[in-house]
Amino acid sequence: MLFFSKRPTIKSLMSVKPFVVFSLLALSFQAFAKSGEVAAGEAQRWVTNMTQGVTATSHEIYDLHMLIFMICVWIGVVVFGIMFYSMIMHRKSAGAVPSKFHESTLVELAWTIIPALILVAMAVPATSTLIKIYDTSDADIDIKVVGYQWKWQYEYLGEEVSFFSNLTTPQDEIYGRAPKGEHYLLEVDEPVVIPINKKVRFLITANDVLHAWWVPALAVKRDAIPGYINDVWTIVDEPGIYRGQCAELCGKSHGFMPIVVHAMEEVDYQQWLVAKKVEAEELKLAMSQSFSMDELYARGEKVYQTNCVACHGPTGAGGVGPTLIGSSITTGPMNGHLSLMINGVQGSAMQAFGEQLNNIDLAAVITYKRNAWGNNMGDMLQPVDVLNHKRSL
Amino acid sequence: MGDHGPAKGFGRWLFTTNHKDIGSMYLWFSFAMFLMGGVFALVIRAELFQPGLQLVEPEFFNQMTTMHGLVMVFGAVMPAFVGLANWLIPMMVGAPDMALPRMNNWSFWILPFAFALLTSTLFMEGGGPNFGWTFYAPLSTTYAPPSVTYFIFAVHIMGASSIMGSINIIATILNMRAPGMTLMKMPLFVWTWLITAYLLIAVMPVLAGCVTMMLMDIHFGTSFFSAAGGGDPVLFQHVFWFFGHPEVYIMILPAFGIVSAIIPTFARKPLFGYASMVYATASIAFLSFIVWAHHMFTVGMPIAGELFFMYATMLIAVPTGVKVFNWITTMFRGSMSFETPMLFSIAFVILFTIGGFSGLMLAIAPADFQYHDTYFVVAHFHYVLVPGAIFSIFAGVYYWLPKWCGNMYDERLGKAHFWLSFVGLNVTFFPMHFVGLAGMPRRIPDYALQFADFNQIASMGAFLFGFSQVFFLFIVIKTIRGGKQATDEVWENPEGLEWTIPSPAPYHTFTTPPAVK
């Protein structure tokens, strides 16, 4: 019996203890919470409902959602109302005498047929909305969206504009060493830019595992699946920046691959597109140039912070991925290092960066890794070396 | 006949073929798994208490979400129902034991090994399964940690255990009913388990096929689920959910049976619409086979498929509604009292219905595009599983525990456990509807700042709910060790053969079949 023997103690414990424990717990949590600086906009807090969004589709989905929700609420009011009435009126302690009835075909038929009719009423608007969502024809702009572990690539079909979109929230904010910014975890280096009032079609696929491309304000969510191309469309009404996240578990950094859509006026979009094309031309030219050690090192550091830091850590000391300090790769032969960066490591989280980074960035980040954190190899790589290496493969 | 007592020592449990011993072992095992899965859940909730990464790294967080799901589904809920079936079905149909007692022993004893395999992966290099309990390929194949092979074999063993358990239950119900107990006189718990057992036999081999294809992809160079080799990642989801959707009904149909036994007892009025309850259960079981792709509305199915699965899913509301209406009509104009089993059963009806409403919302494909893979889904399935499966198991344990051990539980403690669980559960899971609608994806270890407030509340509720279950353990142990002697009937005129035998139930019951009128 041991500690079960003193009955009064148990009783008193019973009435008090859980509440004491709970409030202590709540207090300690509160203290814990204050240790991390949080600066969320007051207006955005305590959101309890779906966004109405900024497209005709998102409005329609919101209305559908509210319709079904209200039908459920009213059914709930009636059903739970009867239940609570019965629980209050038909209590044994109130002297209720039980009836004996236990069957009625008529009643059973009624509560089979009536719900079925309500369902039909729900199915009609749902079907019409779905048919509209599925009409992906006649798009003005096609953007191919490719999910990678853990970033998105956007390719403007027919425009020769293509780029990756990476999370820019610093590790220090994630680990509570710096105050969190307003768009914590929902900010990227390059948002996907679209014009308003144009039918934009997204062709969604993935390079490695499943992802899902989701922007709540557009009411667009579609899985990104290797080997499949899914198409969805949107017409945005208002200029603005709309944020979303990957919605299919895709591994370690599933929570860290946001989507940012920047919708702008048609003119602004065209200007942006031209600027992107100029940038691409300049990049092409730069591919054949030579860079100094300092230039490569500085650029490489940026590339590292965007693409490598999540696994190999801010100081190269490793984390999920192996350490890069004095490793056989970063201090080994240059060709081996380059091959590994281009091809990745099969069956591990180390991706093939040959297609993801351009030759300058590859040269820069390799140079950086071989010279940072005391690796001090003193050697460097030019974009043209990367090109030659790729050709020799 | 009671002179064949149990064997002495540990051998009793190792070699037992007695349905009551095996039932107890299933229940204790499932409770241990429930606590373990609960600890995993608390790791998740502690990390999500505030934005930022504080306690665990994302890769361990993913292992926690995966293991929480697997352990709760396969380790806590399913074995608990099999334990209740073992204890109750022979007593309810007037049989001396299960039809296949040796297989019964075997189907229990392979389970601890399955879960030892599964949990051992947490200590392996590369960590345990980290791809979610739905283990979508290729994250669970090409990109999985090496321990995935252990996971696959563990699932195989669990599946074998479930299939053997189901065969045993079907054989018992169909062959060992007392004379006079026709099918339409069986208690609803027996009916729902009969249907559940058929579901298990139908879908467990599909799950086994699914994980075997994974095994082949990982170790033997096939490409069932790898697009690069000509395979199809979407095939995985179809196969998985063809198992997965009936699986969720496997976890709820026996619960329907339990509350259908409890509500009439405490309303002191016969169950309303017995026959329609049976037909509704059978309809739900049938529908469960043709709705699987509503879990996949965003994979890009053709619109015809999308519409078919939307309509079929909405149809489930009809038989489920019939059941809820029947329970409420049973209560209506009864003479109700609110002992702990009744409290859990009433909470079951209310909260399961709320989970049903959100299920109906999720069935609407266009709206699902906004709900899919958000916390709204997490809220939905926890509302059907926690107050559904878990509360019905609590209700069943409080209801039949006096019959099993001969002692009444302490009513005040039971009610306290109920209210703590009830409050904890709602504080945990209700805010999840809000963050889900506001746009928080599920399975993320860190989140944007606008989700912080409701997550904090949910985490506090989770710890309250979690610690309340330790209190439940205390109540059960206290009841087994002593307490007021239970009468043979235990309650006021409860219906069923199990109340005609002494409390505690002798080691062997119904060695001669009772007569059923």
Side-chain angles (χ1 to χ4, degrees):
Chain A
M1 292 301 271
L2 284 169
F3 53 90
F4 298 133
S5 51
K6 290 180 186 166
R7 284 189 59 92
T9 330
I10 296 160
K11 278 178 199 163
S12 50
L13 268 181
M14 238 322 297
S15 52
V16 182
K17 199 178 175 186
F19 298 100
V20 174
V21 170
F22 183 52
S23 28
L24 279 178
L25 212 65
L27 278 176
S28 56
F29 268 140
Q30 213 61 48
F32 184 42
K34 277 177 189 143
S35 65
E37 284 279 302
V38 174
E42 275 299 317
Q44 278 190 326
R45 296 179 63 177
W46 303 105
V47 178
T48 53
N49 202 359
M50 183 190 285
T51 172
Q52 301 203 28
V54 290
T55 68
T57 308
S58 71
H59 289 131
E60 213 167 302
I61 287 180
Y62 175 83
D63 292 341
L64 191 60
H65 154 73
M66 288 312 287
L67 172 77
I68 310 290
F69 172 67
M70 288 319 291
I71 293 175
C72 288
V73 167
W74 283 112
I75 296 174
V77 167
V78 173
V79 171
F80 297 145
I82 296 171
M83 194 171 170
F84 278 100
Y85 169 81
S86 163
M87 274 155 59
I88 292 162
M89 304 303 288
H90 306 145
R91 274 175 301 136
K92 191 188 176 201
S93 57
V97 180
S99 305
K100 294 271 173 263
F101 68 88
H102 61 90
E103 226 162 25
S104 162
T105 314
L106 197 69
V107 171
E108 298 279 358
L109 272 178
W111 65 42
T112 308
I113 292 167
I114 295 169
L117 293 177
I118 297 176
L119 289 175
V120 172
M122 291 176 172
V124 173
T127 306
S128 103
T129 306
L130 194 65
I131 289 170
K132 284 183 217 161
I133 292 174
Y134 260 72
D135 178 13
T136 55
S137 59
D138 301 324
D140 300 311
I141 295 165
D142 279 324
I143 302 173
K144 186 174 157 200
V145 180
V146 189
Y148 285 77
Q149 282 181 325
W150 293 277
K151 55 186 156 259
W152 295 96
Q153 183 192 23
Y154 301 101
E155 187 182 340
Y156 290 67
L157 297 183
E159 303 283 1
E160 295 197 9
V161 169
S162 165
F163 54 86
F164 280 88
S165 185
N166 293 286
L167 176 76
T168 50
T169 303
Q171 295 283 306
D172 280 351
E173 287 188 23
I174 294 172
Y175 285 95
R177 295 187 290 258
K180 298 184 191 347
E182 189 188 351
H183 299 298
Y184 178 69
L185 297 187
L186 297 178
E187 50 202 348
V188 296
D189 50 359
E190 283 212 65
V192 55
V193 176
I194 57 168
I196 57 167
N197 299 325
K198 291 275 180 191
K199 186 163 183 175
V200 181
R201 181 164 51 189
F202 297 102
L203 303 160
I204 299 173
T205 185
N207 183 58
D208 34 51
V209 299
L210 308 182
H211 304 270
W213 197 81
W214 179 34
V215 181
L218 313 189
V220 168
K221 183 188 287 142
R222 198 51 65 90
D223 292 357
I225 304 167
Y228 280 79
I229 293 183
N230 278 326
D231 53 345
V232 286
W233 63 273
T234 192
I235 300 175
V236 177
D237 300 336
E238 308 163 25
I241 293 173
Y242 307 109
R243 295 165 200 276
Q245 281 179 274
C246 177
E248 179 64 64
L249 179 63
C250 56
K252 179 177 80 73
S253 295
H254 164 55
F256 305 90
M257 51 180 293
I259 295 146
V260 179
V261 176
H262 191 171
M264 46 177 77
E265 302 283 350
E266 169 75 12
V267 231
D268 300 332
Y269 168 74
Q270 290 300 342
Q271 274 178 5
W272 172 84
L273 202 59
V274 170
K276 284 307 273 189
K277 284 178 186 169
V278 172
E279 199 180 292
E281 283 302 313
E282 283 171 359
L283 193 68
K284 232 180 242 172
L285 281 177
M287 293 288 184
S288 53
Q289 288 173 6
S290 283
F291 294 87
S292 73
M293 175 63 123
D294 289 345
E295 283 171 326
L296 287 170
Y297 190 92
R299 187 179 184 118
E301 186 167 7
K302 277 191 197 135
V303 177
Y304 182 86
Q305 292 301 336
T306 309
N307 292 281
C308 318
V309 71
C311 297
H312 296 293
T315 60
V320 193
T323 175
L324 302 179
I325 301 172
S327 86
S328 61
I329 304 294
T330 52
T331 59
M334 178 67 89
N335 264 352
H337 193 172
L338 184 52
S339 294
L340 185 116
M341 284 292 295
I342 290 175
N343 300 320
V345 180
Q346 267 292 315
S348 83
M350 180 63 194
Q351 300 167 43
F353 283 95
E355 300 290 314
Q356 297 184 27
L357 296 176
N358 65 48
N359 293 351
I360 304 175
D361 287 342
L362 275 172
V365 78
I366 290 171
T367 304
Y368 171 73
K369 286 181 194 174
R370 298 176 77 81
N371 293 287
W373 322 302
N375 279 347
N376 297 336
M377 291 296 287
D379 53 0
M380 61 181 187
L381 201 62
Q382 293 295 340
V384 68
D385 300 330
V386 179
L387 181 70
N388 289 336
H389 187 91
K390 279 183 178 171
R391 281 186 179 152
S392 71
L393 289 174
Chain B
M1 291 285 185
D3 51 346
H4 295 284
K8 295 275 176 272
F10 189 63
R12 165 180 175 184
W13 302 104
L14 209 51
F15 304 117
T16 184
T17 54
N18 180 286
H19 73 104
K20 299 182 182 82
D21 282 353
I22 294 171
S24 300
M25 288 196 295
Y26 263 113
L27 288 169
W28 280 114
F29 175 77
S30 98
F31 191 74
M33 290 297 110
F34 180 58
L35 291 186
M36 186 168 82
V39 169
F40 296 156
L42 292 186
V43 172
I44 296 170
R45 282 316 324 169
E47 178 55 54
L48 291 177
F49 180 70
Q50 60 169 331
L53 294 175
Q54 290 86 26
L55 302 173
V56 295
E57 289 295 313
E59 56 272 27
F60 188 70
F61 183 90
N62 287 346
Q63 293 171 40
M64 288 293 101
T65 55
T66 308
M67 293 294 272
H68 167 68
L70 291 169
V71 166
M72 286 302 193
V73 168
F74 295 102
V77 174
M78 291 169 69
F81 282 135
V82 180
L84 290 170
N86 257 292
W87 253 105
L88 296 170
I89 288 176
M91 298 198 319
M92 285 178 162
V93 301
D97 205 308
M98 296 294 280
L100 307 157
R102 286 190 180 85
M103 192 170 80
N104 205 8
N105 172 296
W106 180 233
S107 49
F108 170 76
W109 272 111
I110 60 178
L111 268 189
F113 292 92
F115 282 89
L117 270 184
L118 184 64
T119 42
S120 69
T121 59
L122 287 176
F123 305 100
M124 290 177 188
E125 205 181 318
N130 55 10
F131 27 67
W133 89 274
T134 52
F135 53 100
Y136 282 5
L139 190 62
S140 62
T141 53
T142 321
Y143 294 84
S147 64
V148 64
T149 310
Y150 282 75
F151 156 81
I152 290 171
F153 283 118
V155 169
H156 270 305
I157 299 172
M158 294 168 206
S161 164
S162 288
I163 291 171
M164 288 193 287
S166 306
I167 291 173
N168 210 345
I169 285 167
I170 293 173
T172 307
I173 296 173
L174 294 187
N175 295 302
M176 299 186 59
R177 277 170 290 129
M181 178 164 291
T182 59
L183 286 176
M184 288 310 272
K185 278 187 189 165
M186 296 195 309
L188 264 173
F189 180 71
V190 180
W191 253 118
T192 53
W193 241 118
L194 180 66
I195 292 167
T196 303
Y198 276 107
L199 286 183
L200 275 167
I201 288 184
V203 300
M204 276 298 164
V206 178
L207 177 67
C210 184
V211 293
T212 306
M213 284 189 269
M214 283 170 60
L215 187 76
M216 304 285 279
D217 273 10
I218 294 165
H219 292 293
F220 303 110
T222 59
S223 294
F224 288 107
F225 306 131
S226 155
D232 184 348
V234 178
L235 171 71
F236 176 91
Q237 297 184 33
H238 282 293
V239 177
F240 177 81
W241 285 114
F242 188 82
F243 147 79
H245 202 78
E247 168 68 22
V248 303
Y249 291 118
I250 287 163
M251 292 189 283
I252 203 66
L253 294 186
F256 291 165
I258 293 170
V259 296
S260 299
I262 292 172
I263 289 178
T265 299
F266 295 97
R268 293 171 181 77
K269 186 162 157 279
L271 182 71
F272 187 84
Y274 170 89
S276 75
M277 285 297 219
V278 174
Y279 301 138
T281 310
S283 314
I284 294 172
F286 168 74
L287 287 172
S288 77
F289 284 107
I290 56 164
V291 298
W292 76 88
H294 68 215
H295 298 272
M296 307 160 54
F297 277 149
T298 63
V299 294
M301 265 183 293
I303 191 162
E306 205 92 349
L307 288 173
F308 170 80
F309 285 108
M310 176 170 81
Y311 298 149
T313 305
M314 292 169 77
L315 268 185
I316 295 177
V318 175
T320 315
V322 167
K323 296 192 89 78
V324 171
F325 300 143
N326 279 333
W327 288 319
I328 292 173
T329 315
T330 305
M331 288 161 64
F332 195 76
R333 290 177 55 204
S335 174
M336 269 183 278
S337 57
F338 300 94
E339 287 84 348
T340 310
M342 184 63 163
L343 288 176
F344 274 111
S345 299
I346 290 172
F348 169 95
V349 175
I350 295 173
L351 301 178
F352 177 78
T353 304
I354 291 175
F357 287 147
S358 57
L360 184 57
M361 294 168 76
L362 283 157
I364 308 294
D368 181 72
F369 294 154
Q370 291 284 48
Y371 308 138
H372 183 84
D373 264 332
T374 68
Y375 260 84
F376 190 77
V377 177
V378 178
H380 158 71
F381 67 71
H382 282 96
Y383 258 84
V384 287
L385 281 175
V386 182
I390 306 286
F391 270 24
S392 80
I393 293 164
F394 288 155
V397 168
Y398 282 112
Y399 186 58
W400 283 294
L401 187 60
K403 174 56 63 186
W404 299 339
C405 70
N407 302 321
M408 286 305 282
Y409 63 88
D410 186 323
E411 192 60 61
R412 278 184 310 157
L413 297 190
K415 281 183 177 163
H417 171 230
F418 167 75
W419 285 110
L420 288 171
S421 301
F422 181 83
V423 171
L425 143 82
N426 284 295
V427 172
T428 309
F429 296 113
F430 209 81
M432 291 186 185
H433 291 111
F434 300 145
V435 285
L437 290 174
M440 179 168 163
R442 63 191 282 208
R443 293 170 167 165
I444 57 174
D446 191 5
Y447 48 82
L449 302 180
Q450 66 262 37
F451 309 127
D453 304 296
F454 284 123
N455 268 292
Q456 215 164 78
I457 294 174
S459 290
M460 292 195 274
F463 277 86
L464 174 65
F465 185 83
F467 286 115
S468 315
Q469 307 325 317
V470 181
F471 182 51
F472 174 61
L473 176 68
F474 165 76
I475 297 173
V476 171
I477 292 175
K478 186 171 176 289
T479 310
I480 292 171
R481 289 186 164 208
K484 208 180 90 197
Q485 172 71 36
T487 60
D488 291 357
E489 279 211 316
V490 183
W491 312 106
E492 218 180 300
N493 290 318
E495 209 182 324
L497 288 175
E498 73 267 33
W499 310 109
T500 63
I501 53 178
S503 299
Y507 200 56
H508 297 286
T509 40
F510 296 125
T511 41
T512 45
V516 179
K517 286 189 288 288

